[in-house]
Each structure stands twice: as structure tokens, then as C-alpha cells.
Amino acid sequence: FSGSLDASALLERLEDLTRLTQTEPYKVLIVDDSRAQTTFTERMLNSAGIITRSLTDPIQVMAALAEFQPDLIILDMYMPECRGTELAKVIRHHERYVSVPIIYLSAEDDLDKQLDAMGEGGDDFLTKPIQARHLIATVRNRAARARYLKARMVRDSLTGLYNHTHILQLLEDARVRARRDQQPLSFAMLDIDHFKQVNDRYGHPMGDRVIKSLALFLKQRLRKSDHIGRYGGEEFAVVLPDTDAATATRVLDDIRRRFAEMHFPAQPQDLSCSFSCGIAELQGEQEAKVLASHADEALYRAKHAGRNRVET
Ligand code: GH3
Ligand code: MG
Ligand code: MG
Ligand code: MG
């Protein structure tokens, strides 16, 4: 990425990146009061390359969901503390987990009871003993569709980046983690400069190409642990965990400089454009929306100081 380059080569790689994220192994959370059963289930799934985590104490389920982010949940029906159906209701109460598939795995063979359980937030009912290939096929199919739908739900369709709602959710998650681990957290907001002129002079499809190219450029330049979102039309937001404002500024300023050097082939002459950026670092017990508004104010200052710059 130096000197003059053709942005269309970058766009082709956007598809590759999207595909990569979809081939990560599935993650399954198992809740069963019997350790022997969880071990048995884990072994079956692990043999198929599925990553598992198990809980014998259902009380920990919400914490495990937040931390492990499973693609699917396997629940036992009868546990001393609570029933699987009660647990399913609790999980479904949280909007974030409404679409995570829940499969009951139980020795219960009464069809009426099984159907009741499925009416309480479960998607499927499998009876023990179960053959490994039956369990694996069920988990794979359910997890694949759930992952696809979730990806569609949290991502922006033009760029493949996280959408506005989800980037704010990720900011909140990162905020909680930063407080717990006593680590810095930065939030950056980017806005392409004079973008209306790009559309007016080169047409809307060219504007879209610029947006997609910046999205891909950010993906390539930032760390895997950073979260990148399309905040609005030509606005982007980046969550940078474990990063103070000075470091975030250095990183984003480097990206800014290189992006401004890019050339998009066009007539009568190649197009280049820039973005402005505002950065804020989490302070104390600050709420996520306050942090975001500070980044927005910094962006506003960057615009007023002449654009194509990063402000904190
Ligand atoms: P400034 O430097 O102050 O940010 O100037 P600007 O022209 O970028 O400011 P403004 O926010 O007023 O204009 C943004 C333009 O971005 C307006 C809108 O038509 C265009 N836009 C928003 N979303 C898209 C999109 O998805 N594709 C394209 N091509 N254009 C978009
Ligand atoms: Mg049990
Ligand atoms: Mg704007
Ligand atoms: Mg703009």
C-alpha cells in the first residue's frame, strides 16, 4: 500500500475476508448437571472440530454466553437448580440471544413433554442416548444457519463491516472489559471529507467504491482485536481495546495519511480523497455514549481545523 494504487484489487479481497470469518469452527455451550454427560457430549462434538464449553451450574449461563459467544446451546431438561425450559426462557429474554439455537438433549422420551419444552424457546429436542453423527449433523446445520443470519443482522451489507447498532454494542462490551481489566480503551470516529463532491463529480457508484475501499483499508491496517463499523453513510467507527488515545492517534493518523495518498482510477482524472478522525479514550466510569460523543466532538474539531487530520 504505497504510492499510487488501484482500489479495485482491494475490493476483490473484501469477499475473501468475509469468507474467512465464516469458516471459524462452531462454538457450542453445553449445560447439564452431570459432568459425565457434558464430557461425553463434548467429546462427540470435539471429534467433529466443534469447540465446546460446558457448565454443570446453570446459574452461570448468562456470564458464559457473554464471554464465550456460542453459536448454539445444548440444554439438559432436568437439573437440580432449574429446568432446561426455565433456562431457555431466561436466555430468550435477552434480545442478543433471541436467535441463538437451543437444543434440548435429555433422556425424556415423552413426546408431550418434549413438545412443551420446544414451546419454551427450544428449537429441537434430541433424546439420549444419541449417536454422535446425529448430534453433530444437528448442531452443524443449526449453527451454520444461525451464524449466517447473525452475520447478516450485525453487518452492513455494502462494506461487510459491523453496522451502527452492533458497533455500539461492541463498544459497550469493550468498555466493561476495559474497566474489569484496568486497561485503556479508545474509540475513533471517521468521516470522509467533502464526500458529497465525490458523488456529484464522479457518480454514486464511485462514491460506493470509495466507501468500500476505506472499509477494506481499515480492516487491513487495524488489529484483529479492533472492531470496525460503518457508523453511517460515509462515517466509520473503530473500537480499539487495550489502546490509549496517543497510540490510537498514531495508528489512525498513519492510516489517514496512506488513504489520502490512494488513487482511484477515474475520468477525466484519478480521484483521491481523505477523511477526518476524532478519537477519545475511556475515562473512569464513563458511559459508552459519553465516550462516543467525545469522539464525535473531536471529529467536529478535525473538520473545522481544515479536514484530513486526526484530533483527540
Ligand atoms: P464533510 O467534509 O463536512 O464531511 O463533507 P461531506 O460532503 O462529506 O458531508 P456530508 O455529511 O454533508 O455528506 C455526506 C454525503 O455522503 C451525503 C450522501 O449523499 C453521501 N452518502 C451517504 N451514504 C452514501 C452511500 O452509501 N454511498 C454513496 N455513494 N454516498 C453516500
Ligand atoms: Mg440432568
Ligand atoms: Mg458525514
Ligand atoms: Mg463527510
Side-chain angles (χ1 to χ4, degrees):
F1 269 96
S2 58
S4 152
L5 43 83
D6 178 355
S8 62
L10 298 182
L11 296 184
E12 280 159 28
R13 292 202 50 203
L14 188 63
E15 261 77 49
D16 295 343
L17 281 169
T18 312
R19 217 170 293 133
L20 261 180
T21 62
Q22 282 166 359
T23 55
E24 278 172 26
Y26 296 124
K27 294 190 287 183
V28 173
L29 179 68
I30 301 157
V31 189
D32 196 307
D33 61 306
S34 155
R35 178 57 70 195
Q37 181 62 49
T38 63
T39 305
F40 189 66
T41 309
E42 286 202 87
R43 238 179 245 152
M44 285 194 273
L45 295 175
N46 293 160
S47 76
I50 296 163
I51 297 173
T52 53
R53 184 164 303 181
S54 57
L55 290 179
T56 50
D57 179 5
I59 303 304
Q60 296 167 4
V61 76
M62 293 317 299
L65 283 175
E67 204 228 323
F68 185 50
Q69 295 286 322
D71 294 293
L72 182 145
I73 306 165
I74 294 179
L75 291 184
D76 183 20
M77 267 298 282
Y78 303 109
M79 296 176 281
E81 285 91 354
C82 74
R83 290 195 169 216
T85 49
E86 288 165 337
L87 205 53
K89 260 196 269 182
V90 172
I91 294 168
R92 293 290 186 237
H93 199 70
H94 296 254
E95 206 199 328
R96 285 188 83 175
Y97 306 117
V98 162
S99 57
V100 180
I102 294 178
I103 298 176
Y104 295 106
L105 179 59
S106 164
E108 177 60 69
D109 59 1
D110 183 293
L111 183 60
D112 288 327
K113 287 186 181 150
Q114 291 186 358
L115 293 178
D116 280 350
M118 287 178 59
E120 306 257 27
D123 296 295
D124 229 329
F125 202 110
L126 299 177
T127 43
K128 301 176 205 167
I130 184 161
Q131 286 194 43
R133 59 200 178 116
H134 185 181
L135 180 67
I136 290 162
T138 307
V139 165
R140 275 213 185 115
N141 294 340
R142 292 260 178 211
R145 252 183 293 281
R147 189 179 274 191
Y148 175 78
L149 289 174
K150 187 183 170 197
R152 288 289 299 263
M153 205 167 73
V154 303
R155 286 179 191 280
D156 160 63
S157 60
L158 182 72
T159 60
L161 298 179
Y162 295 120
N163 61 29
H164 183 93
T165 308
H166 196 65
I167 196 70
L168 289 178
Q169 179 71 61
L170 292 171
L171 176 64
E172 174 59 14
D173 292 350
R175 187 190 69 83
V176 171
R177 215 165 291 136
R179 293 309 304 151
R180 187 194 65 193
D181 301 342
Q182 294 293 302
Q183 291 298 318
L185 168 69
S186 291
F187 185 63
M189 285 188 45
L190 289 66
D191 184 295
I192 302 178
D193 298 325
H194 301 304
F195 193 64
K196 228 181 288 189
Q197 289 178 17
V198 173
N199 279 328
D200 290 350
R201 290 183 192 162
Y202 296 89
H204 207 265
M206 182 54 131
D208 284 0
R209 283 170 63 95
V210 172
I211 290 174
K212 285 201 241 181
S213 298
L214 179 53
L216 184 57
F217 196 52
L218 290 169
K219 274 194 197 181
Q220 290 187 329
R221 285 273 154 192
L222 292 161
R223 292 173 307 184
K224 232 190 143 186
S225 51
D226 298 328
H227 307 296
I228 315 165
R230 184 171 178 214
Y231 209 65
E234 29 76 86
E235 294 167 27
F236 299 78
V238 187
V239 178
L240 300 107
D242 304 327
T243 310
D244 60 25
T247 308
T249 302
R250 217 176 316 121
V251 171
L252 267 310
D253 199 53
D254 185 56
I255 295 172
R256 177 202 58 75
R257 187 174 48 77
R258 288 168 189 269
F259 181 73
E261 285 169 0
M262 282 175 60
H263 288 263
F264 295 85
Q267 295 300 330
Q269 58 188 33
D270 285 3
L271 157 71
S272 48
C273 47
S274 61
F275 65 79
S276 300
C277 175
I279 288 172
E281 183 182 335
L282 181 67
Q283 306 295 325
E285 299 301 319
Q286 206 168 52
E287 282 181 50
K289 64 173 184 227
V290 176
L291 175 60
S293 73
H294 285 169
D296 196 34
E297 284 157 22
L299 171 60
Y300 185 82
R301 286 197 296 277
K303 289 283 184 188
H304 280 257
R307 294 176 172 77
N308 190 16
R309 59 170 66 221
V310 181
E311 291 282 332
T312 37

